[in-house]
Amino acid sequence: AIAGGILMGFWGGLLGSFVTLRQLSFFSHAVGHSALVGIVLGILLQLNPTWMLLPFTLAFGLAVLYLIDQTDLASDNILNVVLSGTLAIGIILSSFIRGYRGGLMNVLFGDILAIDVTDLVLTFLLLLGGSIYLISTLQQQILLTLNPDVAKVQGIPVQLHRYLFVVLLSLTVALATKAIGILLVNAFLVIPASAAKLLSHQFSRFLGLSVILGVLSSIVGILLSGFLDWASGPSIVLIQFLIFLAIISITKFKIPFS
């Protein structure tokens, strides 16, 4: 659980930095809620939910991005439609599960103790591959974040990077769902990065602070859930929220950090 928390905290902080700056928090929220369908399908088909989640959230994320590109509707309208639709499908499908369904509570709120070796390996591979991609293309990622039009003029393959980023985001949501829960996985990506943004506007320092806050909140949240017998997902997000409030209080008094 601690190892999984550290890996997800690190990757969530790094990826969440770009999610926050690119205003994709609602996109990750929609992908997170769609995960319910993948999990329920895995249970109905008697498959490991992780192996059902990964392709489902990936296909969902790419399909939503394609719909946004191909329609004249605002992205938040598309996201609201597909979020509501997939959530309704997931709830209806859950009614077909026979016998005990208490495990669905862990799906909603997370259980980091349910992480197994497969989850750790997949999270590490995602962290390794995603970090190499983002760091090796960091200058392009910064320009894509700040001004996509200028990036396109300079010959950067904007669409390719957009779709690759959605792939990373969708896979991250799928792997984090088991530990954090469907209802809170978006907060896991957004809160550490938002708190780090309050402390520094220098990009490299912002990334570093976001990673540190992600890892720190994961470890403290896991320990808190163990000591008090609370659900792991809400415990981690609670620590992130308290850190966010503390940083707001500090910055309000103009204490310099950058």
Side-chain angles (χ1 to χ4, degrees):
I2 293 290
I6 292 173
L7 290 175
M8 286 188 290
F10 187 100
W11 178 237
L14 180 61
L15 188 68
S17 301
F18 293 96
V19 170
T20 302
L21 292 179
R22 295 180 184 182
Q23 299 180 346
L24 290 174
S25 59
F26 194 52
F27 190 99
S28 61
H29 183 64
V31 174
H33 278 68
S34 75
L36 179 61
V37 179
I39 291 173
V40 173
L41 283 175
I43 295 173
L44 291 173
L45 298 174
Q46 297 183 341
L47 299 173
N48 186 330
T50 299
W51 296 115
M52 182 60 70
L53 264 177
L54 290 172
F56 183 83
T57 54
L58 179 58
F60 178 85
L62 292 174
V64 170
L65 184 58
Y66 179 79
L67 284 175
I68 291 174
D69 289 342
Q70 297 300 316
T71 62
D72 295 328
L73 294 174
S75 60
D76 60 336
N77 290 341
I78 294 289
L79 291 170
N80 266 307
V81 169
V82 295
L83 186 154
S84 303
T86 53
L87 191 58
I89 293 171
I91 293 172
I92 291 172
L93 287 176
S94 66
S95 65
F96 292 98
I97 298 176
R98 302 304 177 190
Y100 178 67
R101 290 186 289 176
L104 289 177
M105 288 298 293
N106 290 336
V107 171
L108 295 177
F109 300 109
D111 181 11
I112 204 164
L113 295 178
I115 289 179
D116 54 26
V117 176
T118 300
D119 295 313
L120 284 178
V121 172
L122 290 174
T123 303
F124 176 75
L125 291 176
L126 179 61
L127 169 61
L128 181 62
S131 298
I132 291 174
Y133 163 66
L134 289 177
I135 293 173
S136 63
T137 60
L138 186 59
Q139 295 302 319
Q140 296 181 32
Q141 298 297 335
I142 293 174
L143 187 56
L144 284 167
T145 301
L146 299 178
N147 198 324
D149 293 332
V150 174
K152 190 172 183 178
V153 169
Q154 292 191 1
I156 296 174
V158 175
Q159 282 295 87
L160 175 62
H161 284 298
R162 286 181 70 224
Y163 277 87
L164 286 176
F165 189 83
V166 167
V167 167
L168 291 178
L169 181 57
S170 301
L171 294 178
T172 300
V173 169
L175 291 176
T177 295
K178 182 181 288 188
I180 308 301
I182 289 173
L183 297 180
L184 299 171
V185 68
N186 187 55
F188 184 77
L189 287 168
V190 173
I191 296 179
S194 298
K197 194 170 184 293
L198 292 172
L199 292 176
S200 178
H201 297 291
Q202 182 183 348
F203 198 86
S204 59
R205 186 179 297 179
F206 162 60
L207 289 180
L209 286 171
S210 182
V211 168
I212 291 171
L213 292 177
V215 172
L216 178 64
S217 59
S218 294
I219 295 174
V220 176
I222 292 170
L223 295 176
L224 181 68
S225 68
F227 284 128
L228 300 179
D229 195 25
W230 291 353
S232 59
S235 298
I236 293 173
V237 174
L238 173 63
I239 295 300
Q240 293 176 342
F241 179 61
L242 292 176
I243 291 174
F244 180 79
L245 292 180
I247 290 175
I248 283 184
S249 300
I250 292 171
T251 54
K252 185 177 180 180
F253 291 105
K254 309 299 183 182
I255 297 177
F257 278 84
S258 59

